[in-house]
Amino acid sequence: MEKDTNSVMKSNEQDLRPVDSLADHTPSENDDHHDVAAPQALFQKLSILDRSLTPAILVCMIVGVVIGEFVPGVQPAFDTVKFYSVSVPIAIGLIVMMWPILTKVRYEALSRILLSRRLWMHMGISMILNWIIGPLIMLGLAWATLPDLPTYRTGVILVGLARCIAMVMVWNQLAGGDAEYCAILVVFNSVLQIILYSPYAVLFVNVVGHTEQGVHLAYGSVAISVLIYLGIPLLAGVITRFTVIRLKSKEFFDKSFAPRFSPLSFIGLLYTIIVMFAYQGHHIVQNIGSVFRVFVPMILYFVVMWTSAFALVFYLARREFRKGNTDNGDFTYELAVVQAFTAGSNNFELAIAVAIAVYGVGSDQALAATIGPLVEVPVLLSLTWVAQYLRVRLQWGAPTQCKNGKV
């Protein structure tokens, strides 16, 4: 029983398993024996840092808002230190948060992954979810819930267009998703973001949304933001991983270096949240009514996109098993997590940077964009627990092994 439990309920501190093992995963007969106690067992197997993440994030959100409201000159202080349109304090937090996560990615295996049919299939699914369905859903929700608040609606739309390239790595790690596939989809969406964000913003805000005057977004500003938020920690992660492995060994990296280095990501996440909420704390308090209204399309968007992507991969997995493809690893829990959190999260840093650059730091558009992390962090953090629960309660194996014979 202990072996079965360990095979299903992996800790977030577990080493990244080889990509080839995704195709080799077959459900054990003991998978039927998961019971109501499984979520508690999952919680017990999490590290101290992971268990304290939820209350720590909530505390940091409150601290950030209090700082923004009661400490004078916080916003101007952040704006005085900028690289192009990117706030340096925010960039530092994101780099520190992403660095340990990107260090764990097994880059030495990427050449093999890039040759797999599975990767290109999931990239196609991701592109449809992120660049066709996602923006349209956010546009529809923004208009349905904020018809009388055009400025806030614009900020919400800008958030919906920015695909996540940072926090998704955190959510994927907490939910036990496949790190290599997540890293590749992040890079893929980053490239598309550089190409598509500007024309998408003009199309969805001006043409489709019929909102306000012209929006002039430069490709250069978007590209710089993406390179800072992803490029620097990615480069640092590659250099750190191969340097440590070369100077020591792979075993030393996995068993000694990575466990000690990983908490830096936790610190970077909490710092980033404090800075983000301090940045707009005063504006949030002064416009609390409109802020709560903006919560509605944001929450609906995150839940609808996450649920749809997760359900899609689970449906495809069940369909493959019904066809008798029991050895097919194209649609596993790990890949469902990657697709769900990639589709259900957004690059609020980029949306905020663009909203501030175009409309100003005190604008309603910037405030609406800032509400993105206020909603996204607790909602997606909760969804990591939902994912871990569904990992246990749903049957990811063959139909004949389903509990009580149900498919």
Side-chain angles (χ1 to χ4, degrees):
M1 184 63 183
E2 181 181 357
K3 180 179 179 181
D4 174 62
T5 303
N6 290 335
S7 68
V8 179
M9 298 177 292
K10 298 181 294 183
S11 166
N12 289 322
E13 295 181 331
Q14 179 181 358
D15 294 339
L16 297 174
R17 57 188 173 82
V19 176
D20 291 345
S21 68
L22 289 174
D24 297 335
H25 174 70
T26 54
S28 65
E29 295 181 359
N30 291 330
D31 284 347
D32 295 345
H33 302 297
H34 295 304
D35 53 26
V36 180
Q40 287 80 1
L42 278 170
F43 182 81
Q44 293 299 324
K45 292 183 73 66
L46 291 175
S47 67
I48 297 297
L49 288 179
D50 288 341
R51 273 185 266 176
S52 61
L53 183 62
T54 303
I57 285 178
L58 293 176
V59 169
C60 288
M61 290 166 59
I62 295 172
V63 170
V65 172
V66 170
I67 292 174
E69 173 65 13
F70 296 105
V71 177
V74 172
Q75 267 191 4
F78 287 151
D79 288 333
T80 56
V81 188
K82 300 178 71 174
F83 180 69
Y84 285 82
S85 60
V86 180
S87 172
V88 170
I90 295 176
I92 291 174
L94 289 170
I95 291 171
V96 172
M97 177 185 72
M98 294 286 291
W99 184 13
I101 297 174
L102 291 172
T103 300
K104 291 183 178 181
V105 177
R106 296 187 311 111
Y107 301 100
E108 60 271 20
L110 294 184
S111 59
R112 184 172 69 253
I113 303 175
L114 289 172
L115 298 177
S116 70
R117 176 187 62 86
R118 181 190 309 160
L119 170 66
W120 294 101
M121 176 175 57
H122 277 278
M123 286 176 65
I125 294 173
S126 179
M127 184 171 183
I128 293 173
L129 289 172
N130 283 281
W131 294 101
I132 298 178
I133 297 177
L136 289 174
I137 287 180
M138 184 63 98
L139 176 68
L141 290 173
W143 270 94
T145 58
L146 303 171
D148 58 330
L149 296 175
T151 54
Y152 288 94
R153 185 173 65 237
T154 297
V156 170
I157 293 173
L158 290 176
V159 171
L161 299 178
R163 313 319 303 167
C164 191
I165 62 172
M167 293 293 290
V168 64
M169 300 290 290
V170 176
W171 311 133
N172 181 74
Q173 176 178 272
L174 290 175
D178 189 287
E180 281 88 0
Y181 275 82
C182 185
I184 292 175
L185 289 184
V186 164
V187 173
F188 176 65
N189 283 322
S190 298
V191 174
L192 289 179
Q193 197 154 243
I194 295 173
I195 299 172
L196 297 177
Y197 190 82
S198 291
Y200 259 48
V202 174
L203 174 65
F204 280 83
V205 173
N206 293 347
V207 180
V208 179
H210 302 292
T211 304
E212 309 175 43
Q213 67 278 6
V215 179
H216 304 288
L217 302 177
Y219 280 102
S221 298
V222 178
I224 288 294
S225 298
V226 173
L227 289 174
I228 290 176
Y229 294 140
L230 179 65
I232 294 177
L234 178 62
L235 180 62
V238 172
I239 293 174
T240 302
R241 179 178 180 85
F242 286 107
T243 299
V244 173
I245 292 177
R246 183 175 182 83
L247 294 178
K248 292 290 186 178
S249 65
K250 179 68 163 58
E251 182 179 5
F252 173 83
F253 179 90
D254 291 334
K255 296 183 178 180
S256 299
F257 180 80
R260 291 178 173 85
F261 190 54
S262 295
L264 188 63
S265 178
F266 182 84
I267 296 172
L269 172 61
L270 298 183
Y271 164 83
T272 303
I273 290 172
I274 291 176
V275 172
M276 293 292 298
F277 286 96
Y279 198 81
Q280 284 278 15
H282 178 74
H283 207 173
I284 290 173
V285 173
Q286 297 300 317
N287 298 272
I288 196 68
S290 299
V291 165
F292 276 109
R293 286 193 59 185
V294 174
F295 279 10
V296 177
M298 295 279 192
I299 294 174
L300 290 174
Y301 174 82
F302 295 137
V303 173
V304 168
M305 288 300 298
W306 188 94
T307 304
S308 300
F310 194 92
L312 173 63
V313 177
F314 179 71
Y315 166 78
L316 293 174
R318 302 300 309 192
R319 189 182 68 173
E320 290 298 311
F321 282 118
R322 290 192 185 96
K323 292 180 180 179
N325 299 328
T326 57
D327 296 329
N328 193 326
D330 288 343
F331 305 105
T332 62
Y333 166 80
E334 290 80 6
L335 294 177
V337 167
V338 172
Q339 291 288 4
F341 283 102
T342 302
S345 53
N346 294 91
N347 184 0
F348 50 80
E349 303 87 8
L350 176 61
I352 291 172
V354 171
I356 291 174
V358 175
Y359 299 105
V361 70
S363 64
D364 292 339
Q365 293 87 344
L367 174 59
T370 305
I371 296 172
L374 179 65
V375 177
E376 178 176 324
V377 170
V379 170
L380 292 187
L381 184 62
S382 301
L383 288 175
T384 63
W385 290 96
V386 173
Q388 291 280 21
Y389 177 79
L390 293 178
R391 177 185 200 168
V392 174
R393 301 305 298 174
L394 294 180
Q395 177 60 48
W396 294 90
T400 57
Q401 294 175 344
C402 289
K403 196 170 184 177
N404 300 325
K406 295 180 182 180
V407 176

